[in-house]
mmCIF file of all heavy atoms in Angstrom:
data_model
loop_
_atom_site.group_PDB
_atom_site.id
_atom_site.type_symbol
_atom_site.label_atom_id
_atom_site.label_comp_id
_atom_site.label_asym_id
_atom_site.label_seq_id
_atom_site.Cartn_x
_atom_site.Cartn_y
_atom_site.Cartn_z
ATOM 1 N N TYR A 183 105.041 76.755 100.942
ATOM 2 C CA TYR A 183 103.855 77.465 100.467
ATOM 3 C C TYR A 183 102.592 77.085 101.234
ATOM 4 O O TYR A 183 101.538 77.697 101.026
ATOM 5 C CB TYR A 183 103.643 77.201 98.980
ATOM 6 C CG TYR A 183 104.622 77.927 98.095
ATOM 7 C CD1 TYR A 183 105.852 77.361 97.784
ATOM 8 C CD2 TYR A 183 104.324 79.178 97.574
ATOM 9 C CE1 TYR A 183 106.763 78.030 96.979
ATOM 10 C CE2 TYR A 183 105.225 79.850 96.771
ATOM 11 C CZ TYR A 183 106.440 79.271 96.476
ATOM 12 O OH TYR A 183 107.343 79.941 95.684
ATOM 13 N N GLU A 184 102.673 76.100 102.082
ATOM 14 C CA GLU A 184 101.481 75.638 102.794
ATOM 15 C C GLU A 184 100.880 76.769 103.628
ATOM 16 O O GLU A 184 101.549 77.380 104.459
ATOM 17 C CB GLU A 184 101.834 74.453 103.696
ATOM 18 C CG GLU A 184 100.646 73.842 104.424
ATOM 19 C CD GLU A 184 99.691 73.096 103.523
ATOM 20 O OE1 GLU A 184 100.064 72.777 102.356
ATOM 21 O OE2 GLU A 184 98.562 72.806 103.962
ATOM 22 N N GLY A 185 99.604 77.062 103.397
ATOM 23 C CA GLY A 185 98.902 78.095 104.141
ATOM 24 C C GLY A 185 99.124 79.511 103.645
ATOM 25 O O GLY A 185 98.568 80.453 104.214
ATOM 26 N N ASN A 186 99.927 79.686 102.580
ATOM 27 C CA ASN A 186 100.102 81.026 102.004
ATOM 28 C C ASN A 186 98.800 81.509 101.368
ATOM 29 O O ASN A 186 98.027 80.697 100.835
ATOM 30 C CB ASN A 186 101.176 81.015 100.917
ATOM 31 C CG ASN A 186 102.591 80.868 101.447
ATOM 32 O OD1 ASN A 186 103.531 81.109 100.722
ATOM 33 N ND2 ASN A 186 102.759 80.469 102.699
ATOM 34 N N VAL A 187 98.559 82.803 101.410
ATOM 35 C CA VAL A 187 97.396 83.392 100.756
ATOM 36 C C VAL A 187 97.868 84.217 99.569
ATOM 37 O O VAL A 187 98.740 85.082 99.705
ATOM 38 C CB VAL A 187 96.585 84.262 101.733
ATOM 39 C CG1 VAL A 187 95.527 85.072 100.999
ATOM 40 C CG2 VAL A 187 95.931 83.388 102.789
ATOM 41 N N PHE A 188 97.294 83.949 98.393
ATOM 42 C CA PHE A 188 97.643 84.656 97.173
ATOM 43 C C PHE A 188 96.593 85.724 96.868
ATOM 44 O O PHE A 188 95.400 85.542 97.139
ATOM 45 C CB PHE A 188 97.737 83.680 95.995
ATOM 46 C CG PHE A 188 98.974 82.821 95.996
ATOM 47 C CD1 PHE A 188 99.016 81.647 96.735
ATOM 48 C CD2 PHE A 188 100.088 83.190 95.258
ATOM 49 C CE1 PHE A 188 100.151 80.847 96.734
ATOM 50 C CE2 PHE A 188 101.230 82.399 95.250
ATOM 51 C CZ PHE A 188 101.261 81.226 95.986
ATOM 52 N N TYR A 189 97.036 86.820 96.256
ATOM 53 C CA TYR A 189 96.140 87.897 95.846
ATOM 54 C C TYR A 189 96.859 88.714 94.783
ATOM 55 O O TYR A 189 98.100 88.698 94.697
ATOM 56 C CB TYR A 189 95.740 88.777 97.033
ATOM 57 C CG TYR A 189 96.915 89.300 97.822
ATOM 58 C CD1 TYR A 189 97.453 90.562 97.575
ATOM 59 C CD2 TYR A 189 97.516 88.510 98.808
ATOM 60 C CE1 TYR A 189 98.549 91.032 98.286
ATOM 61 C CE2 TYR A 189 98.623 88.976 99.510
ATOM 62 C CZ TYR A 189 99.131 90.227 99.242
ATOM 63 O OH TYR A 189 100.222 90.685 99.926
ATOM 64 N N LEU A 190 96.109 89.415 93.952
ATOM 65 C CA LEU A 190 96.718 90.176 92.869
ATOM 66 C C LEU A 190 95.933 91.441 92.605
ATOM 67 O O LEU A 190 94.829 91.632 93.115
ATOM 68 C CB LEU A 190 96.827 89.323 91.602
ATOM 69 C CG LEU A 190 95.524 88.786 90.993
ATOM 70 C CD1 LEU A 190 94.955 89.750 89.947
ATOM 71 C CD2 LEU A 190 95.754 87.420 90.355
ATOM 72 N N ASP A 191 96.518 92.317 91.780
ATOM 73 C CA ASP A 191 95.829 93.528 91.367
ATOM 74 C C ASP A 191 95.424 93.405 89.907
ATOM 75 O O ASP A 191 96.253 93.092 89.043
ATOM 76 C CB ASP A 191 96.714 94.760 91.555
ATOM 77 C CG ASP A 191 95.956 96.037 91.226
ATOM 78 O OD1 ASP A 191 95.104 96.440 92.039
ATOM 79 O OD2 ASP A 191 96.178 96.612 90.140
ATOM 80 N N PHE A 192 94.158 93.656 89.625
ATOM 81 C CA PHE A 192 93.607 93.475 88.289
ATOM 82 C C PHE A 192 94.287 94.374 87.264
ATOM 83 O O PHE A 192 94.470 93.986 86.115
ATOM 84 C CB PHE A 192 92.100 93.770 88.331
ATOM 85 C CG PHE A 192 91.400 93.611 87.007
ATOM 86 C CD1 PHE A 192 90.928 92.378 86.611
ATOM 87 C CD2 PHE A 192 91.207 94.698 86.172
ATOM 88 C CE1 PHE A 192 90.279 92.232 85.389
ATOM 89 C CE2 PHE A 192 90.564 94.567 84.958
ATOM 90 C CZ PHE A 192 90.100 93.322 84.566
ATOM 91 N N TRP A 193 94.660 95.585 87.657
ATOM 92 C CA TRP A 193 95.185 96.559 86.697
ATOM 93 C C TRP A 193 96.688 96.448 86.501
ATOM 94 O O TRP A 193 97.178 96.502 85.367
ATOM 95 C CB TRP A 193 94.819 97.976 87.139
ATOM 96 C CG TRP A 193 93.331 98.173 87.231
ATOM 97 C CD1 TRP A 193 92.596 98.338 88.358
ATOM 98 C CD2 TRP A 193 92.410 98.191 86.143
ATOM 99 N NE1 TRP A 193 91.249 98.452 88.055
ATOM 100 C CE2 TRP A 193 91.111 98.375 86.697
ATOM 101 C CE3 TRP A 193 92.533 98.074 84.759
ATOM 102 C CZ2 TRP A 193 89.965 98.435 85.915
ATOM 103 C CZ3 TRP A 193 91.385 98.142 83.977
ATOM 104 C CH2 TRP A 193 90.131 98.327 84.551
ATOM 105 N N THR A 194 97.443 96.311 87.558
ATOM 106 C CA THR A 194 98.900 96.279 87.420
ATOM 107 C C THR A 194 99.443 94.889 87.128
ATOM 108 O O THR A 194 100.561 94.747 86.636
ATOM 109 C CB THR A 194 99.576 96.796 88.699
ATOM 110 O OG1 THR A 194 99.317 95.885 89.776
ATOM 111 C CG2 THR A 194 99.061 98.180 89.067
ATOM 112 N N GLY A 195 98.669 93.855 87.442
ATOM 113 C CA GLY A 195 99.156 92.496 87.252
ATOM 114 C C GLY A 195 100.129 92.040 88.310
ATOM 115 O O GLY A 195 100.798 91.010 88.162
ATOM 116 N N ASN A 196 100.216 92.790 89.413
ATOM 117 C CA ASN A 196 101.098 92.440 90.519
ATOM 118 C C ASN A 196 100.494 91.283 91.324
ATOM 119 O O ASN A 196 99.361 91.378 91.791
ATOM 120 C CB ASN A 196 101.289 93.676 91.409
ATOM 121 C CG ASN A 196 102.167 93.396 92.604
ATOM 122 O OD1 ASN A 196 103.096 92.607 92.521
ATOM 123 N ND2 ASN A 196 101.864 94.038 93.720
ATOM 124 N N LEU A 197 101.215 90.187 91.480
ATOM 125 C CA LEU A 197 100.765 89.008 92.221
ATOM 126 C C LEU A 197 101.633 88.822 93.451
ATOM 127 O O LEU A 197 102.858 88.746 93.345
ATOM 128 C CB LEU A 197 100.828 87.760 91.331
ATOM 129 C CG LEU A 197 100.563 86.405 91.992
ATOM 130 C CD1 LEU A 197 99.151 86.346 92.573
ATOM 131 C CD2 LEU A 197 100.776 85.276 90.992
ATOM 132 N N GLN A 198 101.018 88.774 94.620
ATOM 133 C CA GLN A 198 101.740 88.608 95.872
ATOM 134 C C GLN A 198 101.196 87.418 96.642
ATOM 135 O O GLN A 198 100.120 86.890 96.349
ATOM 136 C CB GLN A 198 101.631 89.870 96.738
ATOM 137 C CG GLN A 198 102.382 91.067 96.211
ATOM 138 C CD GLN A 198 102.382 92.241 97.170
ATOM 139 O OE1 GLN A 198 101.662 92.247 98.172
ATOM 140 N NE2 GLN A 198 103.183 93.248 96.881
ATOM 141 N N ARG A 199 101.954 87.017 97.646
ATOM 142 C CA ARG A 199 101.494 86.002 98.584
ATOM 143 C C ARG A 199 101.834 86.475 99.992
ATOM 144 O O ARG A 199 102.801 87.208 100.210
ATOM 145 C CB ARG A 199 102.120 84.634 98.299
ATOM 146 C CG ARG A 199 103.618 84.591 98.417
ATOM 147 C CD ARG A 199 104.205 83.277 97.912
ATOM 148 N NE ARG A 199 105.661 83.282 98.024
ATOM 149 C CZ ARG A 199 106.346 82.731 99.013
ATOM 150 N NH1 ARG A 199 105.698 82.078 99.980
ATOM 151 N NH2 ARG A 199 107.658 82.785 99.051
ATOM 152 N N ALA A 200 101.024 86.064 100.947
ATOM 153 C CA ALA A 200 101.204 86.472 102.336
ATOM 154 C C ALA A 200 101.269 85.237 103.226
ATOM 155 O O ALA A 200 100.718 84.174 102.895
ATOM 156 C CB ALA A 200 100.063 87.379 102.786
ATOM 157 N N VAL A 201 101.951 85.397 104.360
ATOM 158 C CA VAL A 201 102.061 84.322 105.339
ATOM 159 C C VAL A 201 101.615 84.856 106.696
ATOM 160 O O VAL A 201 101.743 86.045 106.985
ATOM 161 C CB VAL A 201 103.504 83.775 105.438
ATOM 162 C CG1 VAL A 201 103.899 83.086 104.147
ATOM 163 C CG2 VAL A 201 104.484 84.888 105.760
ATOM 164 N N GLU A 202 101.099 83.966 107.514
ATOM 165 C CA GLU A 202 100.665 84.361 108.853
ATOM 166 C C GLU A 202 101.810 84.158 109.838
ATOM 167 O O GLU A 202 102.433 83.099 109.878
ATOM 168 C CB GLU A 202 99.446 83.543 109.275
ATOM 169 C CG GLU A 202 98.822 84.016 110.575
ATOM 170 C CD GLU A 202 97.541 83.295 110.925
ATOM 171 O OE1 GLU A 202 97.296 82.210 110.360
ATOM 172 O OE2 GLU A 202 96.776 83.812 111.757
ATOM 173 N N THR A 203 102.066 85.189 110.632
ATOM 174 C CA THR A 203 103.095 85.133 111.660
ATOM 175 C C THR A 203 102.438 85.275 113.032
ATOM 176 O O THR A 203 101.226 85.428 113.142
ATOM 177 C CB THR A 203 104.124 86.256 111.471
ATOM 178 O OG1 THR A 203 103.509 87.525 111.765
ATOM 179 C CG2 THR A 203 104.657 86.276 110.039
ATOM 180 N N ALA A 204 103.255 85.260 114.063
ATOM 181 C CA ALA A 204 102.734 85.390 115.421
ATOM 182 C C ALA A 204 102.087 86.752 115.653
ATOM 183 O O ALA A 204 101.252 86.908 116.546
ATOM 184 C CB ALA A 204 103.856 85.163 116.436
ATOM 185 N N THR A 205 102.448 87.742 114.849
ATOM 186 C CA THR A 205 101.911 89.094 115.034
ATOM 187 C C THR A 205 100.954 89.504 113.923
ATOM 188 O O THR A 205 100.527 90.651 113.868
ATOM 189 C CB THR A 205 103.056 90.122 115.102
ATOM 190 O OG1 THR A 205 103.862 90.016 113.914
ATOM 191 C CG2 THR A 205 103.935 89.852 116.320
ATOM 192 N N GLY A 206 100.611 88.578 113.030
ATOM 193 C CA GLY A 206 99.671 88.896 111.963
ATOM 194 C C GLY A 206 100.188 88.463 110.603
ATOM 195 O O GLY A 206 101.241 87.828 110.486
ATOM 196 N N TRP A 207 99.442 88.834 109.569
ATOM 197 C CA TRP A 207 99.805 88.465 108.203
ATOM 198 C C TRP A 207 100.768 89.490 107.613
ATOM 199 O O TRP A 207 100.601 90.693 107.808
ATOM 200 C CB TRP A 207 98.556 88.377 107.341
ATOM 201 C CG TRP A 207 97.685 87.198 107.651
ATOM 202 C CD1 TRP A 207 96.757 87.114 108.640
ATOM 203 C CD2 TRP A 207 97.683 85.945 106.976
ATOM 204 N NE1 TRP A 207 96.159 85.872 108.628
ATOM 205 C CE2 TRP A 207 96.708 85.133 107.614
ATOM 206 C CE3 TRP A 207 98.390 85.426 105.895
ATOM 207 C CZ2 TRP A 207 96.423 83.836 107.197
ATOM 208 C CZ3 TRP A 207 98.118 84.136 105.471
ATOM 209 C CH2 TRP A 207 97.147 83.352 106.126
ATOM 210 N N VAL A 208 101.760 89.005 106.867
ATOM 211 C CA VAL A 208 102.747 89.870 106.219
ATOM 212 C C VAL A 208 103.037 89.316 104.825
ATOM 213 O O VAL A 208 102.762 88.150 104.529
ATOM 214 C CB VAL A 208 104.064 89.951 107.026
ATOM 215 C CG1 VAL A 208 103.828 90.566 108.393
ATOM 216 C CG2 VAL A 208 104.701 88.563 107.159
ATOM 217 N N VAL A 209 103.581 90.168 103.959
ATOM 218 C CA VAL A 209 104.017 89.711 102.647
ATOM 219 C C VAL A 209 105.100 88.657 102.831
ATOM 220 O O VAL A 209 106.016 88.816 103.642
ATOM 221 C CB VAL A 209 104.546 90.885 101.808
ATOM 222 C CG1 VAL A 209 105.120 90.399 100.484
ATOM 223 C CG2 VAL A 209 103.435 91.899 101.559
ATOM 224 N N ALA A 210 104.989 87.566 102.108
ATOM 225 C CA ALA A 210 105.902 86.436 102.275
ATOM 226 C C ALA A 210 107.320 86.801 101.848
ATOM 227 O O ALA A 210 107.517 87.609 100.932
ATOM 228 C CB ALA A 210 105.407 85.250 101.466
ATOM 229 N N PRO A 211 108.325 86.221 102.486
ATOM 230 C CA PRO A 211 109.711 86.439 102.057
ATOM 231 C C PRO A 211 109.890 86.021 100.602
ATOM 232 O O PRO A 211 109.253 85.082 100.116
ATOM 233 C CB PRO A 211 110.523 85.539 102.997
ATOM 234 C CG PRO A 211 109.640 85.323 104.185
ATOM 235 C CD PRO A 211 108.243 85.322 103.663
ATOM 236 N N ALA A 212 110.771 86.728 99.911
ATOM 237 C CA ALA A 212 111.000 86.457 98.499
ATOM 238 C C ALA A 212 111.622 85.080 98.293
ATOM 239 O O ALA A 212 112.356 84.570 99.141
ATOM 240 C CB ALA A 212 111.901 87.537 97.904
ATOM 241 N N VAL A 213 111.302 84.485 97.158
ATOM 242 C CA VAL A 213 111.920 83.226 96.741
ATOM 243 C C VAL A 213 112.685 83.497 95.452
ATOM 244 O O VAL A 213 112.429 84.482 94.751
ATOM 245 C CB VAL A 213 110.863 82.129 96.524
ATOM 246 C CG1 VAL A 213 110.168 81.783 97.830
ATOM 247 C CG2 VAL A 213 109.846 82.542 95.467
ATOM 248 N N PRO A 214 113.670 82.656 95.110
ATOM 249 C CA PRO A 214 114.440 82.874 93.878
ATOM 250 C C PRO A 214 113.529 82.961 92.659
ATOM 251 O O PRO A 214 112.583 82.184 92.506
ATOM 252 C CB PRO A 214 115.343 81.637 93.821
ATOM 253 C CG PRO A 214 115.494 81.213 95.247
ATOM 254 C CD PRO A 214 114.169 81.503 95.885
ATOM 255 N N GLY A 215 113.803 83.942 91.808
ATOM 256 C CA GLY A 215 113.050 84.109 90.581
ATOM 257 C C GLY A 215 111.951 85.147 90.640
ATOM 258 O O GLY A 215 111.354 85.477 89.610
ATOM 259 N N GLN A 216 111.670 85.690 91.843
ATOM 260 C CA GLN A 216 110.637 86.717 91.929
ATOM 261 C C GLN A 216 111.063 87.965 91.159
ATOM 262 O O GLN A 216 112.236 88.356 91.206
ATOM 263 C CB GLN A 216 110.361 87.100 93.386
ATOM 264 C CG GLN A 216 109.534 86.099 94.134
ATOM 265 C CD GLN A 216 108.992 86.642 95.451
ATOM 266 O OE1 GLN A 216 108.474 85.879 96.239
ATOM 267 N NE2 GLN A 216 109.088 87.949 95.690
ATOM 268 N N PRO A 217 110.119 88.646 90.485
ATOM 269 C CA PRO A 217 110.484 89.871 89.756
ATOM 270 C C PRO A 217 110.859 91.031 90.669
ATOM 271 O O PRO A 217 111.643 91.892 90.281
ATOM 272 C CB PRO A 217 109.230 90.188 88.945
ATOM 273 C CG PRO A 217 108.113 89.499 89.668
ATOM 274 C CD PRO A 217 108.717 88.268 90.257
ATOM 275 N N THR A 218 110.285 91.082 91.880
ATOM 276 C CA THR A 218 110.644 92.109 92.868
ATOM 277 C C THR A 218 110.646 91.456 94.244
ATOM 278 O O THR A 218 110.119 90.348 94.413
ATOM 279 C CB THR A 218 109.659 93.291 92.869
ATOM 280 O OG1 THR A 218 108.425 92.879 93.486
ATOM 281 C CG2 THR A 218 109.380 93.790 91.455
#
Side-chain angles (χ1 to χ4, degrees):
Y183 286 87
E184 183 70 15
N186 288 195
V187 170
F188 285 84
Y189 53 95
L190 61 91
D191 184 74
F192 180 86
W193 300 110
T194 66
N196 179 34
L197 172 62
Q198 290 187 350
R199 62 189 179 98
V201 294
E202 188 174 18
T203 69
T205 56
W207 289 83
V208 297
V209 175
V213 295
Q216 283 194 191
T218 74

